[in-house]
Each structure stands twice: as C-alpha cells, then as structure tokens.
C-alpha cells in the first residue's frame, strides 16, 4: 500500500515511490489493486484496468470480495485491479 500524508500530497512523493518500485521489479506483469478514483493516477505509469476474466485467481477473488463488501456498504468505493505489462 502507498499512502502519502495529506500535507505532503501534490509534491510527487507517490510518483517517486511508484517509479522506484517499477524500476526495482523488472519482471512483468505487475499487478496492483486500488480504489476506483485512483485508476487514472496509476494509468499514468502504464497500468491498465483489468476485466475480471483477465485477472489472476487471487486478484479475481479479491475483486469479487470487494464487490460483496461494497454491497454491504462495508467498503465504500469500487476496487480496480490493474496490470503493467
């Protein structure tokens, strides 16, 4: 998980962390899960949103669990599974 303190947001901290993590891990594909509102942020690094049938089994299970929790109003925002190839 990546979280940036509110007072440090907008200063490129998350971008620097993500770029460093991508450089450190040359093996592809890379997967991530994020809140729907962050999809466009990760798309800037080349990640694309996956459809459930494209997801590896673990991520598919987590995606469906998030849908279920969302319906129960326990997880307020849709989840996205994204991939960088």
């Amino acid at each position: 998980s990546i979280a940036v303190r509110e007072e440090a947001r907008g200063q490129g901290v998350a971008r620097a962390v993500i770029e460093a993590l991508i450089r450190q891990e040359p093996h592809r594909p890379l997967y991530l899960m994020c809140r729907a509102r962050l999809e466009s942020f990760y798309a800037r690094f080349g990640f694309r949103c996956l459809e459930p049938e494209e997801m590896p089994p673990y991520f598919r299970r987590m995606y469906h669990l998030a849908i279920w929790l969302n319906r129960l109003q326990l997880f307020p925002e849709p989840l996205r599974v994204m991939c960088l190839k």
Side-chain angles (χ1 to χ4, degrees):
S1 293
I2 296 174
V4 178
R5 297 177 102 168
E6 192 170 341
E7 62 271 12
R9 291 181 187 158
Q11 298 175 29
V13 175
R15 178 184 44 78
V17 170
I18 293 165
E19 288 173 347
L21 290 171
I22 290 171
R23 277 193 311 273
Q24 273 182 276
E25 185 51 61
H27 299 94
R28 300 288 186 269
L30 294 177
Y31 297 94
L32 66 82
M33 292 183 292
C34 65
R35 294 176 184 217
R37 65 186 157 97
L38 296 173
E39 181 179 343
S40 63
F41 175 74
Y42 289 107
R44 290 184 238 162
F45 301 96
F47 286 89
R48 71 171 187 84
C49 192
L50 298 178
E51 296 297 326
E53 60 273 5
E54 299 176 278
M55 297 173 189
Y58 168 80
F59 290 98
R60 191 175 314 120
R61 284 191 304 272
M62 296 304 292
Y63 174 79
H64 288 295
L65 176 62
I67 290 172
W68 185 76
L69 292 171
N70 185 268
R71 288 181 184 150
L72 294 174
Q73 298 180 354
L74 298 174
F75 192 80
E77 191 174 347
L79 181 75
R80 296 288 187 261
V81 175
M82 301 185 75
C83 178
L84 175 66
K85 292 197 176 196

